Amino acid sequence: METIERYNHLNKYLKEKFGEKTLKVCIDADFTCPNRDGKVGTGGCIFCSEKGSGEHLHPQKSSLETSIKSQIENHLNSYRGERANKFIAYFQNFTNTYDQVENLKIRYDAALINDKIVALAIATRPDCITEDICKLIASYKSKVDVWVELGLQTVHEKTANLIN
């Protein structure tokens, strides 16, 4: 009797999609958030610490482009890079579309350092996506798979106020 899964496993999906084990490389691209810089609020929300959701990330103190490349190279050259041959460049920390399109392009381009990067994953907020940003993100589809992770935490005003 075949076991029916109740949900789709990401690991299984990635193996089917890319033909082998595929892992994420989490990137801190030095973004901020409108809930931190005063545009929407200050102090952040309950989901991120002062360093964002990427507490374990340690970006280099250099140009953003160099820092992003270094983070990926360091990952690929560590024991973690030996666990797979294909990787997803995952812009995880804070709001990864919260900048000018020209600056976003520099950051995203910096992550595509070689053929081991098979996907670009961008975590952001629904209120930080514009048509121009969508066009930029869509422009990467011919090179790699593209994912946008929208953090919609609640639709209830009372809960939104509680979580800041």
Side-chain angles (χ1 to χ4, degrees):
M1 182 173 178
E2 186 178 335
T3 303
I4 298 175
E5 298 289 340
R6 292 178 182 239
Y7 59 91
N8 293 322
H9 297 263
L10 180 59
N11 189 39
K12 181 180 175 185
Y13 168 79
L14 293 174
K15 281 183 181 177
E16 289 173 3
K17 174 83 177 160
F18 297 113
E20 63 184 284
K21 186 177 189 81
T22 305
L23 300 174
K24 287 182 178 178
V25 178
C26 297
I27 300 166
D28 183 344
D30 199 35
F31 283 101
T32 188
C33 172
N35 204 31
R36 292 186 164 275
D37 70 1
K39 183 175 181 181
V40 173
T42 58
C45 63
I46 65 170
F47 297 103
C48 292
S49 71
E50 263 185 55
K51 295 181 182 180
S53 59
E55 284 288 327
H56 62 285
L57 302 175
H58 305 288
Q60 316 300 331
K61 297 296 180 199
S62 55
S63 74
L64 281 175
E65 185 177 1
T66 303
S67 173
I68 292 166
K69 287 179 181 178
S70 294
Q71 288 175 66
I72 294 173
E73 287 170 350
N74 289 342
H75 185 95
L76 296 180
N77 293 327
S78 74
Y79 72 93
R80 296 170 295 184
E82 295 174 4
R83 295 177 48 221
N85 293 312
K86 294 183 179 180
F87 297 88
I88 300 161
Y90 179 34
F91 286 84
Q92 173 187 17
N93 217 20
F94 293 121
T95 305
N96 293 274
T97 57
Y98 189 51
D99 204 341
Q100 300 300 313
V101 172
E102 302 79 29
N103 295 333
L104 297 175
K105 182 171 178 9
I106 291 168
R107 287 171 162 131
Y108 303 157
D109 285 351
L112 304 178
I113 64 171
N114 63 38
D115 291 340
K116 287 186 173 188
I117 306 299
V118 295
L120 185 64
I122 302 165
T124 190
R125 299 162 47 125
D127 60 339
C128 292
I129 295 276
T130 65
E131 187 172 338
D132 287 339
I133 291 171
C134 287
K135 287 177 183 175
L136 170 67
I137 293 169
S139 74
Y140 289 95
K141 292 189 322 183
S142 63
K143 300 173 194 147
V144 294
D145 262 40
V146 178
W147 305 354
V148 176
E149 179 181 295
L150 290 176
L152 178 60
Q153 310 306 341
T154 184
V155 295
H156 303 287
E157 193 66 33
K158 183 177 178 183
T159 305
N161 290 331
L162 177 69
I163 64 177
N164 196 23

